């Protein structure tokens, strides 16, 4: 029997992704990989896995090999879908990348999946990282071995690539480890907070600052290709939208009109259109801006506050929040404007809608009975589920694969401060993302090329 | 009072580094000097002392802040001016119409119990309500600008309604108006 151990994971309630959740019979019929985490309703039983010591195949890369293996294991364990078997339990079990795997020994350790790997230095300061994924139960390799190459300074990215490949082979979904997060780093007391734009790897590694603390900055968002960032800054005194090119560090102001406030920008899926809020005379409306021509198009006309717009991934629709009914609710309208349709009808108020990159869900902030929640609903408003609850949870941002959500959680009181957290769309695996300062307004990049 | 001394008083009292940078909370470019960690300093981190002028002088910014009242408060989510707010703004309008050398920036603020972008829009709505009321009382529109800080610049930091109520505010800030 080729279908082996299956960890059943509650990743989505209500059978939302029934199509992706092949049952055992479907899996057999479709010849899906034998080692498989199926995503269905049910209990969470993380899959036991091991990352064997990555073998240094050239002199001087022992440390790099150990580091790469450590990051691969951390990526996988961090999903909550896998449980790592400690390296101390299997030291020396693999001595050659191409030698046959001692399946019986790994089986005795309780491992279901095994990642083996090797690291070699190459000419020009490059590093080659290769790996194989093994199904311990069947004694077979899952997929073919792969090799990634890059500059030695990119060793973390090489490790994330390995983990993304392993994750994709076992879950059947895209990975998200080789990605970045842009966010607002914060310091200082609550009534004099200083804020800087910052960027880091998805796991908090390699943080660096993109702006000085001289001006307040808010709400950065990635371009679809991950090469540019939109954000709102007070650097000219009044809130303005800026476009930052990450490679060059160059930035320019968009919509620099005196007497107005431009804020809440987000790229369209084409990377050429920006949807944002523009306030004039106290009234905030939603506009799009064509970056090349500078042409601006007004999409809403209502005395209520219309803000936090976000395109659907196919570019055909825009979800936004409006208090036109009396308090904040979510609305969907055609991308070229037109009659908005309200989609949120539960208790409390709904804000900051963000369309999943898969198109199947909209994540939002909900405020009800003195608590804040991150939640998801289908684009038609059905199937609402709250994933978190706290004094103040705000501003969801999707992982590239639409399985995990980043958000900011702020604590109460005079010493209250925000930090970043991630949670998967089942509401499980809530965990803090380490940052060296307070942090808010996270935005997840697409998967890096 | 000579123009120069008035300028000095306003600069000191309001911590304005430049007319076009109304984020007085950061002390303008004061943070750039003496700090190289990129986090700046200035008013945000240290102790800030500034003369306000003589509060007994009815033409001083100190008098405007302390006696006239430089701020009004709002109910949750609201930008409607209460009767108390209208009284204070009427006093502001009288003072501003008698002291025409100042420009005015109206800051709109929100409490922390809301999402960031909504609060930015709400602060703009509050600042605009004040601006419209002052204009209706004869303050020249050319002297007025608005800015919203949303929930970014609370004056009270507890997480209780007493603090939230003080943070849901619009503050009338005097500036050096161009050409005065």
């Amino acid at each position: 029997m080729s279908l082996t151990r299956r960890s059943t994971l509650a990743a989505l309630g209500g059978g939302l992704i029934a199509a992706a959740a092949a049952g055992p019979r479907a899996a057999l019929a479709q010849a899906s990989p034998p080692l498989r985490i199926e995503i269905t309703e049910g209990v969470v039983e993380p899959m036991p896995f091991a990352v064997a010591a990555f073998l240094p195949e050239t002199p001087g890369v022992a440390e790099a090999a150990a580091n790469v293996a450590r990051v691969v294991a951390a990526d996988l364990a961090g999903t909550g879908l896998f449980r790592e078997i400690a390296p101390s339990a299997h030291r020396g079990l693999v001595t050659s990348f191409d030698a046959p795997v001692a399946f019986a020994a790994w089986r005795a350790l309780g491992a279901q999946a095994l990642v083996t790997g090797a690291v070699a230095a190459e000419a020009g300061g490059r590093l080659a990282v290769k790996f194989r994924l093994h199904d311990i139960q069947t004694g077979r390799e899952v997929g073919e071995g792969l090799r990634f190459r890059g500059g030695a300074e990119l060793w973390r990215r090489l490790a994330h690539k390995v983990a993304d490949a392993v994750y994709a082979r076992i879950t059947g979904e895209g990975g998200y480890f080789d990605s970045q997060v842009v966010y607002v780093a914060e310091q200082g007391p609550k009534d004099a907070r200083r804020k800087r734009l910052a960027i880091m790897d998805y796991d908090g590694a390699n943080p660096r600052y993109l702006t000085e603390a001289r001006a307040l900055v808010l709400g950065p968002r990635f371009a679809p290709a991950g090469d540019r960032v939109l954000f709102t800054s007070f650097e000219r005194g009044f809130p303005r939208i800026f476009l930052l090119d990450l490679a060059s560090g160059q930035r320019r102001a968009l919509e620099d009109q005196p007497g107005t406030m431009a804020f809440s920008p987000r790229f369209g899926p084409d990377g050429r259109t920006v949807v944002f809020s523009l306030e004039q005379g106290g009234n905030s409306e939603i506009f799009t801006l064509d970056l090349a021509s500078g042409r601006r198009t007004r999409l809403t006309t209502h005395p209520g506050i219309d803000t936090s717009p976000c395109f659907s991934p196919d570019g055909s629709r825009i979800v936004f929040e409006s208090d036109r009914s009396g308090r904040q609710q979510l609305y969907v309208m055609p991308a070229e404007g037109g009659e908005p349709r309200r989609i949120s009808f539960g208790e409390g108020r709904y804000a900051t809608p963000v369309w999943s990159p898969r198109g199947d869900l909209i994540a939002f902030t909900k405020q009800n009975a003195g608590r804040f929640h991150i939640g998801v609903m289908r684009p038609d408003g059905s199937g609402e589920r709250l994933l978190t609850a706290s004094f103040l949870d705000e501003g969801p941002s999707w992982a590239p694969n639409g399985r995990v959500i980043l958000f900011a959680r702020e604590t109460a009181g005079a010493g209250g401060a925000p930090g970043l957290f991630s949670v998967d769309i089942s509401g499980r695996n809530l965990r803090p993302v380490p940052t060296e300062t307070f942090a808010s307004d996270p935005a997840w990049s697409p998967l890096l090329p | 009072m000579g123009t120069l001394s008035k300028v000095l008083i306003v600069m000191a009292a309001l911590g304005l580094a430049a007319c076009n940078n109304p984020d007085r909370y950061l002390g303008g470019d004061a943070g750039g000097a003496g700090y190289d960690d990129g986090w700046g300093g200035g008013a945000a981190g240290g102790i800030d002392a500034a003369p306000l002028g003589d509060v007994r002088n009815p033409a001083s910014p100190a008098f405007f802040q302390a006696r006239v009242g430089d701020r009004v408060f709002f109910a949750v989510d609201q930008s409607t001016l209460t009767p108390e707010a209208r009284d204070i703004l009427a006093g502001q309008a009288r003072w501003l119409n008698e002291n025409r050398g100042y420009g005015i920036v109206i800051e709109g603020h929100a409490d922390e119990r809301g999402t960031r972008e909504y609060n930015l829009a709400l602060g703009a709505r509050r600042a605009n309500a004040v601006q419209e009321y002052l204009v209706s009382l004869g303050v020249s529109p050319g002297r007025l600008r608005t800015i919203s800080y949303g929930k970014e610049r609370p004056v009270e930091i507890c997480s209780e309604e007493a603090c939230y109520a003080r943070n849901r505010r619009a503050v009338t800030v005097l500036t050096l108006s161009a050409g005065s």
Side-chain angles (χ1 to χ4, degrees):
Chain A
M1 176 163 163
S2 68
L3 183 78
T4 63
R5 306 302 300 263
R6 197 157 50 83
S7 294
T8 308
L9 292 144
L12 276 172
L16 271 182
I17 57 155
R25 274 171 304 161
L28 280 173
Q30 292 166 8
S32 58
L35 187 72
R36 180 110 181 154
I37 289 181
E38 300 286 1
I39 297 159
T40 63
E41 288 181 88
V43 261
V44 166
E45 185 56 51
M47 176 184 281
F49 81 104
V51 175
F54 275 33
L55 303 165
E57 293 194 326
T58 58
V61 295
E63 191 185 343
N67 289 341
V68 167
R70 180 170 50 76
V71 170
V72 171
D75 282 347
L76 294 170
T79 64
L81 306 180
F82 303 92
R83 176 172 58 77
E84 190 191 7
I85 294 168
S88 56
H90 54 78
R91 203 157 278 142
L93 256 185
V94 174
T95 52
S96 159
F97 182 69
D98 292 314
V101 170
F103 285 105
W106 291 103
R107 217 171 280 136
L109 287 168
Q112 291 184 17
L114 169 68
V115 181
T116 57
V119 173
E122 298 193 341
R126 286 160 71 82
L127 216 53
V129 174
K130 54 188 181 179
F131 82 96
R132 293 186 195 280
L133 174 62
H134 309 273
D135 181 343
I136 299 304
Q137 201 72 12
T138 60
R140 291 199 190 138
E141 193 173 343
V142 182
E144 280 188 280
L146 266 182
R147 181 184 56 200
F148 299 104
R149 274 193 183 125
E153 74 284 1
L154 299 177
W155 66 269
R156 278 187 160 272
R157 287 201 54 200
L158 295 168
H160 292 320
K161 291 281 188 206
V162 170
D164 275 329
V166 170
Y167 177 94
R169 287 178 186 183
I170 297 181
T171 67
E173 311 201 29
Y176 59 87
F177 309 121
D178 188 24
S179 62
Q180 290 180 302
V181 173
V182 63
Y183 63 103
V184 173
E186 303 192 9
Q187 271 195 3
K190 195 170 170 181
D191 57 352
R193 210 38 76 65
R194 283 158 286 154
K195 298 192 169 194
R196 304 174 68 181
L197 220 55
I199 193 169
M200 62 186 185
D201 296 352
Y202 97 100
D203 56 2
N206 296 319
R208 68 186 169 95
Y209 295 103
L210 301 173
T211 63
E212 300 286 304
R214 196 160 308 194
L216 271 175
V217 289
L218 311 171
R221 274 92 189 236
F222 272 105
D227 56 338
R228 291 163 296 158
V229 170
L230 286 165
F231 63 103
T232 303
S233 170
F234 284 61
E235 77 170 56
R236 301 201 174 171
F238 296 83
R240 290 279 175 271
I241 296 171
F242 287 79
L243 176 60
L244 170 69
D245 182 86
L246 286 173
S248 69
Q250 297 286 315
R251 64 176 178 223
R252 66 179 172 106
L254 309 178
E255 284 296 317
D256 208 358
Q257 292 184 53
T260 69
M261 172 172 74
F263 63 108
S264 193
R266 203 180 279 279
F267 277 98
D270 61 5
R272 301 191 301 266
T273 309
V274 174
V275 65
F276 67 103
S277 276
L278 184 67
E279 175 269 340
Q280 293 172 289
N283 182 30
S284 296
E285 300 284 7
I286 291 170
F287 289 75
T288 51
L289 175 72
D290 181 74
L291 283 176
S293 68
R295 190 166 48 85
R296 199 173 74 187
T297 307
R298 178 170 174 164
L299 301 185
T300 57
T301 306
H302 198 283
I305 289 172
D306 297 328
T307 191
S308 299
C310 175
F311 276 96
S312 61
D314 66 1
S316 69
R317 288 175 289 171
I318 290 169
V319 63
F320 65 100
E321 63 168 80
S322 175
D323 69 354
R324 58 184 65 195
S325 73
R327 57 182 169 186
Q328 290 160 281
Q329 299 289 347
L330 307 185
Y331 294 79
V332 172
M333 66 180 168
E336 57 278 3
E339 193 56 37
R341 193 169 55 83
R342 179 170 160 183
I343 62 167
S344 62
F345 291 94
E347 297 231 332
R349 52 171 68 189
Y350 296 79
T352 73
V354 192
W355 221 300
S356 158
R358 294 157 68 130
D360 57 343
L361 292 170
I362 288 170
F364 54 83
T365 305
K366 179 169 176 166
Q367 203 179 333
N368 189 32
R371 304 277 283 173
F372 280 66
H373 309 268
I374 302 299
V376 293
M377 62 173 65
R378 294 191 192 92
D380 66 2
S382 65
E384 173 180 334
R385 287 183 299 112
L386 300 182
L387 309 179
T388 73
S390 89
F391 170 72
L392 177 47
D393 286 350
E394 177 178 1
S397 177
W398 288 96
N401 70 352
R403 286 272 288 110
V404 183
I405 288 170
L406 259 180
F407 63 98
R409 169 167 288 183
E410 190 153 352
T411 50
L420 305 186
F421 285 77
S422 67
V423 66
D424 73 33
I425 55 174
S426 69
R428 294 176 190 278
N429 201 34
L430 175 72
R431 56 175 62 213
V433 179
T435 51
E436 53 186 28
T437 63
F438 304 143
S440 61
D441 291 5
W444 212 318
S445 80
L447 210 53
L448 298 175
Chain B
M1 193 190 303
T3 304
L4 180 60
S5 59
K6 191 170 82 179
V7 165
L8 290 174
I9 286 172
V10 173
M11 291 280 286
L14 305 177
L16 293 178
C19 290
N20 63 358
N21 185 0
D23 190 359
R24 59 202 170 91
Y25 300 95
L26 282 176
D29 60 4
Y35 294 86
D36 55 7
D37 67 351
W39 280 104
I47 294 169
D48 207 31
L52 289 163
D54 188 344
V55 74
R56 290 167 302 182
N57 174 5
S60 71
F63 185 90
F64 180 81
Q65 285 184 316
R67 299 284 165 79
V68 177
D70 67 347
R71 62 197 59 200
V72 297
F73 301 103
F74 297 87
V76 174
D77 272 356
Q78 297 302 308
S79 56
T80 310
L81 299 172
T82 63
E84 295 78 14
R86 286 169 186 263
D87 283 349
I88 289 167
L89 294 176
Q92 286 187 6
R94 272 194 301 279
W95 193 93
L96 293 167
N97 286 333
E98 286 165 11
N99 298 275
R100 294 176 182 273
Y102 298 102
I104 302 130
V105 172
I106 302 159
E107 302 173 351
H109 298 269
D111 66 35
E112 68 185 0
R113 303 310 285 156
T115 44
R116 196 178 312 287
E117 291 173 343
Y118 182 79
N119 277 344
L120 212 52
L122 182 59
R125 212 188 232 174
R126 287 172 174 162
N128 189 68
V130 167
Q131 171 171 260
E132 286 185 351
Y133 195 63
L134 290 177
V135 168
S136 78
L137 296 176
V139 179
S140 164
R143 296 170 67 188
L144 291 159
R145 289 185 297 174
T146 60
I147 180 172
S148 176
Y149 285 100
K151 62 175 174 178
E152 305 305 314
R153 293 296 180 221
V155 286
E156 302 290 340
I157 57 176
C158 76
S159 292
E160 293 155 29
E161 175 53 25
C163 286
Y164 301 156
R166 300 277 301 165
N167 289 333
R168 293 190 299 265
R169 70 200 192 276
V171 183
T172 303
V173 179
L174 304 178
T175 70
L176 299 175
S177 84
S180 67

